[in-house]
Amino acid sequence: MSIAIAIDGPAGAGKSTIARMAAKELGFIYVDTGALYRTIALACQRANVKTDNTLEVLAILDKTEVKLAFNEKNEQIVLLNNEDVSSLIRTPEISMMASSVSKIPQVRAFLLDLQRNMAKTNNVIMDGRDIGTVVLPDAKLKIFLFASPECRAKRRYDELIEKGMDIKYDDILQDVIDRDYADSHRDIAPLKPASDAIEVDTSDESLEESVNRLLAIMKEHI
Ligand code: DC
């Protein structure tokens, strides 16, 4: 039987960085489910479809195939109709559009089997918003990672500046606040800790401290 670890939490709490490092240490596959919603958003953007227009988004889904693959470094690659779009889905606009398409029940259903199948055949650390509550309710360990909005905005700002993007901290903070609100107030699979999740606040920790804390929790539970 494969082992699944679910990590949920708001954008910028450090989920992806921590999950990626922990997966490497444990020899698990790291699955970033946000990339799947981002890929649907990219398909909409390319077709000039507004993500609040459910019917048009559903028409896009009909023409869309999303697949996950792993490169030689065991890093996740996401394929939109067989094109590697992994680096095209990391813009602030796609972030907002992903949050918007993720409210549509058919979009969530469309991506569900893909996520569950990854966990059937591999030991995974899977990160997202509803992994512990919906996607993998029987996960061996569930972690809910969070940090203050200001702290998460600062981390995302630093990350994007390093990539050479021209952005303002205040805009990023507003995005974080708006996206938190949208993700935790939607009707379907809202962002919330599973009742059996361990809640971890990373606000006052360095990345290294968070990784070590999480690794200790994981090693204790698996
Ligand atoms: O983790 P991320 O920032 O890449 O996610 C992008 C958006 O996708 C996020 O605003 C909410 C949505 N999402 C979701 O609804 N469920 C998931 N399991 C992962 C992401």
Side-chain angles (χ1 to χ4, degrees):
M1 263 274 280
S2 51
I3 302 172
I5 298 175
I7 303 190
D8 291 302
K15 294 188 304 290
S16 60
T17 315
I18 294 170
R20 187 176 296 113
M21 292 169 86
K24 204 168 180 189
E25 169 82 17
L26 298 175
F28 281 31
I29 281 181
Y30 163 56
V31 181
D32 161 19
T33 63
L36 303 172
Y37 293 90
R38 288 171 178 272
T39 300
I40 304 287
L42 178 68
C44 292
Q45 189 190 48
R46 285 179 167 179
N48 271 324
V49 162
K50 293 235 164 39
T51 48
D52 55 5
N53 186 332
T54 301
L55 284 182
E56 287 192 18
V57 174
L58 297 187
I60 295 292
L61 277 192
D62 278 344
K63 291 182 261 172
T64 299
E65 189 186 34
V66 179
K67 283 194 278 196
L68 286 180
F70 293 86
N71 67 14
E72 66 286 350
K73 287 192 214 146
N74 235 2
E75 292 161 346
Q76 173 180 298
I77 290 167
V78 64
L79 302 163
L80 169 61
N81 298 329
N82 290 324
E83 173 193 351
D84 178 359
V85 294
S86 312
S87 57
L88 302 178
I89 55 173
R90 299 289 159 197
T91 66
E93 191 189 351
I94 291 288
S95 299
M96 292 314 289
M97 290 176 76
S99 180
S100 177
V101 293
S102 73
K103 283 189 275 196
I104 304 173
Q106 292 92 331
V107 170
R108 306 201 71 83
F110 179 82
L111 297 172
L112 193 57
D113 283 349
L114 172 57
Q115 297 171 80
R116 286 192 174 150
N117 287 339
M118 293 305 303
K120 264 188 205 148
T121 41
N122 305 283
N123 290 336
V124 293
I125 298 184
M126 192 174 287
D127 95 29
R129 304 293 188 284
D130 62 338
I131 309 305
T133 51
V134 177
V135 179
L136 304 175
D138 298 325
K140 178 95 178 167
L141 170 65
K142 300 175 186 176
I143 292 166
F144 192 84
L145 212 61
F146 64 99
S148 70
E150 290 75 17
C151 177
R152 289 182 283 127
K154 174 77 170 59
R155 290 177 190 163
R156 184 115 319 172
Y157 173 80
D158 290 346
E159 208 177 287
L160 294 174
I161 287 288
E162 197 167 311
K163 284 185 187 157
M165 289 191 186
D166 179 22
I167 37 140
K168 293 198 178 71
Y169 169 79
D170 286 348
D171 292 343
I172 299 286
L173 177 60
Q174 197 55 52
D175 277 2
V176 165
I177 292 169
D178 291 348
R179 210 140 67 90
D180 278 2
Y181 187 86
D183 292 347
S184 50
H185 285 79
R186 66 182 178 219
D187 293 335
I188 178 166
L191 170 66
K192 63 166 189 213
S195 56
D196 51 350
I198 297 176
E199 297 188 36
V200 176
D201 181 354
T202 67
S203 301
D204 299 320
E205 286 180 342
S206 69
L207 182 60
E208 199 187 354
E209 286 167 334
S210 301
V211 172
N212 287 338
R213 185 142 73 108
L214 276 256
L215 266 174
I217 296 174
M218 289 174 187
K219 285 179 178 164
E220 194 184 310
H221 284 80
I222 62 173

